[in-house]
Amino acid sequence: MKYYLSAIICLVALTSLAQQESFDLTSYTAPQGWKKETKENIVAYTITDKKKNTWCQIQVVKSTISQGGIDEDFASEWQHLIVANYPVKDTANIYEVQEAEGWKVKGGGGKFTFNNKDAMAMLTTMSGYNRCVSIITLTNTQDYVAQIESFMASVSFTKPNTAADNTGGTTYIVTTTDVPDQTAAPAGFAFCTTNFDDGWTSVVKEDWVEVSKGNIKVLLHYPKAGTIFPADPEPMTNAAWNILVAPRYSNLKNYKTAYVEDFNRPYFGMGYADEIKTGKNVFIVFFRRGGDWIEVVSPDKNIFSQEFGFDAASIRWGAISQYMGGWVVDNSQGNTVNADHGIFDKLDNMANRNKFAVAAADFKGKWTSDYTGVQQLYNVYTGNYAGMNMNQSNEEFVFGAQSTYNWKFLAVNGMVGNAKVSQAKSSGNLTVPNNWQVHFTMIETRARTYHAHWSCMKGARILNLLDADFSGSGIYTKYGLAK
């Protein structure tokens, strides 16, 4: 049986006039009469002819971080998408690389047997802008060649927007992405995916932000009742594990908890278990240090250690000074290594991946930030009560139509009974100079630009702003949507 894959490569277009559907970076005209099935990382279209016992399927695969170029991307995609899933016997028939508008396209195919009949697996991979996109075609007949070619000719791609986070110099590839059903991100926000330049990708999910790189997955769990409460480390870790982790796994083995005695002590739960969804056996590290729970899922303990720089299973209960920073012992080599910032920091800093770009259309409604602080004062000589000093503030943005806003700040401070009130108001228009900043034409006495991003919690988002002219602290003011 002969197949004409070269036609597919030549007909990959970067524009199309027909009404198109979209999945991740890929837009296309769906084949009429084919059954559509949407999964987390793939949209598939299938057609069958029961009388002839023939079939064809086209799969659009969600983009991933590029391996460095079209040759590396095609080789990786061939192994992971074709060889790992279909019994292809012969070597892929590679076709000449095509180029268009910053994308390079490479394709190939191989035969396999399905239900005692010859079939063909064909892979078309596009590489560009630090992203890799693939389309898979599977068929046991030439009857659908015209429809395959028509589909491929309709394909176009969204060019990712590159923006710099000026607060830390990190570059992100930001893509406006259609969120699959299970993602359940709050409606009305442009960005639900952040691709960091060190290879990690964050995606908004219903119960967590999912951060992934290679074969490691990190779940940044949203706050949930019953997972953080006053208790010794073991009962609190166990309770949080049972609520956030256990329902998605089976056959838990070698489970243990641990903590390190420190001012901001880290808590750990860990073990091997089978993922109910995939059946894969994985190593899980469950971690918290001051913030929300972080769950790391990796194929085994060694891969976790290679990525995060320490052996989780070696952690013992109590005060372990070698984990607190400075010159520490590298258990794998017996040498000392510099860990000035603490050996757990890389894992702890995964919480900063809950970070998503802003767009002008995101700014709607009333967003507020409140602060309250009190000091109870006592006479140092007599011990008698000397009153209470109070500091309270409220800041709000009300975003209206056509990028207008009203800003208000109210502060109350001083001794109770003699407190002073100060306030300021401004209004104007906002613009978004890039995906990580917002500019206001007037805040109090002058125009101001803020570093800006969204962070997520269940069913909602938090607006984070930091004055770009005074960003040294790196501390963002957080605003919540007022009801």
Side-chain angles (χ1 to χ4, degrees):
M1 183 178 295
K2 185 178 181 182
Y3 296 88
Y4 299 95
L5 182 61
S6 58
I8 296 174
I9 301 301
C10 295
L11 288 171
V12 173
L14 273 297
T15 58
S16 176
L17 297 177
Q19 183 67 38
Q20 294 191 312
E21 296 186 15
S22 296
F23 178 68
D24 189 39
L25 299 183
T26 309
S27 296
Y28 52 85
T29 301
Q32 295 295 314
W34 293 41
K35 180 181 177 182
K36 179 181 178 180
E37 183 180 8
T38 302
K39 298 181 180 179
E40 182 174 3
N41 296 315
I42 291 177
V43 172
Y45 295 88
T46 307
I47 189 169
T48 59
D49 188 327
K50 293 183 179 179
K51 292 182 179 180
K52 295 182 178 180
N53 194 26
T54 57
W55 52 268
C56 183
Q57 185 178 80
I58 300 173
Q59 302 176 8
V60 181
V61 184
K62 188 175 182 179
S63 67
T64 59
I65 294 290
S66 173
Q67 300 295 315
I70 185 59
D71 293 331
E72 296 86 350
D73 286 341
F74 180 83
S76 175
E77 297 287 88
W78 180 262
Q79 290 298 318
H80 289 93
L81 299 177
I82 303 299
V83 175
N85 296 296
Y86 309 102
V88 175
K89 297 179 181 179
D90 54 356
T91 305
N93 188 10
I94 307 299
Y95 291 86
E96 183 180 354
V97 173
Q98 306 289 318
E99 294 188 41
E101 297 186 11
W103 295 91
K104 292 186 177 181
V105 186
K106 188 172 184 177
K111 292 182 180 180
F112 67 100
T113 301
F114 181 77
N115 287 343
N116 298 317
K117 191 171 182 178
D118 287 342
M120 189 76 172
M122 296 170 282
L123 175 70
T124 304
T125 297
M126 284 63 67
S127 180
Y129 307 100
N130 199 37
R131 303 300 293 172
C132 168
V133 186
S134 286
I135 296 175
I136 301 168
T137 305
L138 308 167
T139 187
N140 68 349
T141 179
Q142 296 187 65
D143 293 352
Y144 303 107
V145 168
Q147 287 148 293
I148 295 170
E149 291 179 344
S150 177
F151 176 87
M152 297 301 292
S154 75
V155 172
S156 62
F157 302 102
T158 300
K159 177 182 175 181
N161 298 315
T162 303
D165 175 359
N166 297 316
T167 62
T170 304
T171 299
Y172 306 91
I173 308 298
V174 186
T175 305
T176 304
T177 308
D178 288 338
V179 182
D181 292 342
Q182 66 272 26
T183 301
F189 295 93
F191 297 105
C192 297
T193 300
T194 302
N195 298 307
F196 297 87
D197 64 352
D198 60 358
W200 290 98
T201 297
S202 293
V203 180
V204 181
K205 299 287 185 177
E206 182 177 3
D207 294 309
W208 55 73
V209 168
E210 186 168 309
V211 192
S212 59
K213 181 175 74 170
N215 53 7
I216 298 178
K217 179 172 62 179
V218 181
L219 309 185
L220 308 179
H221 288 278
Y222 302 146
K224 194 167 187 178
T227 62
I228 299 176
F229 53 89
D232 289 335
E234 184 171 19
M236 186 174 73
T237 302
N238 290 342
W241 177 286
N242 289 335
I243 293 172
L244 300 176
V245 183
R248 293 176 286 108
Y249 298 93
S250 63
N251 301 322
L252 177 63
K253 295 180 180 179
N254 300 325
Y255 173 76
K256 74 168 189 174
T257 62
Y259 85 103
V260 175
E261 191 66 58
D262 184 36
F263 175 75
N264 193 12
R265 61 186 180 185
Y267 296 73
F268 285 91
M270 65 196 75
Y272 281 89
D274 295 334
E275 289 183 320
I276 294 174
K277 185 177 181 179
T278 66
K280 294 180 180 179
N281 184 256
V282 294
F283 179 64
I284 308 160
V285 172
F286 192 49
F287 171 83
R288 176 178 178 266
R289 185 167 69 172
D292 295 314
W293 288 99
I294 297 173
E295 176 186 345
V296 182
V297 184
S298 56
D300 57 48
K301 178 172 68 70
N302 292 333
I303 291 176
F304 174 89
S305 299
Q306 290 169 11
E307 179 61 38
F308 292 101
F310 67 95
D311 182 358
S314 71
I315 298 172
R316 302 185 305 277
W317 276 75
I320 309 178
S321 60
Q322 69 261 35
Y323 292 123
M324 294 300 99
W327 289 94
V328 302
V329 174
D330 177 358
N331 292 329
S332 63
Q333 301 294 330
N335 301 318
T336 57
V337 295
N338 192 347
D340 287 335
H341 300 291
I343 202 167
F344 300 135
D345 283 2
K346 187 173 183 180
L347 176 57
D348 196 17
N349 288 337
M350 292 302 295
N352 295 328
R353 310 284 178 163
N354 185 350
K355 186 175 186 178
F356 300 90
V358 300
D362 293 343
F363 294 94
K364 295 175 288 188
K366 183 166 118 176
W367 295 79
T368 65
S369 179
D370 298 282
Y371 170 81
T372 298
V374 297
Q375 292 176 305
Q376 301 282 358
L377 304 179
Y378 294 85
N379 189 296
V380 67
Y381 299 106
T382 66
N384 294 331
Y385 181 64
M388 181 173 69
N389 186 64
M390 175 181 64
N391 291 278
Q392 290 182 309
S393 66
N394 170 267
E395 186 178 7
E396 75 174 35
F397 285 92
V398 179
F399 300 111
Q402 299 178 340
S403 297
T404 60
Y405 70 89
N406 290 297
W407 171 83
K408 181 171 65 175
F409 180 80
L410 175 67
V412 179
N413 56 74
M415 297 297 295
V416 173
N418 191 33
K420 296 181 179 180
V421 178
S422 58
Q423 58 183 333
K425 297 181 180 180
S426 298
S427 61
N429 293 88
L430 69 89
T431 56
V432 177
N434 61 65
N435 294 123
W436 302 99
Q437 287 187 325
V438 58
H439 176 80
F440 299 100
T441 54
M442 183 64 66
I443 298 293
E444 197 171 5
T445 60
R446 62 183 179 88
R448 295 180 190 265
T449 298
Y450 291 86
H451 300 310
H453 66 269
W454 300 106
S455 54
C456 296
M457 57 191 301
K458 188 174 179 65
R461 290 206 178 186
I462 297 169
L463 175 61
N464 299 264
L465 297 179
L466 173 65
D467 193 327
D469 291 332
F470 304 96
S471 61
S473 70
I475 300 174
Y476 284 75
T477 301
K478 299 180 181 296
Y479 300 80
L481 182 63
K483 295 182 178 180

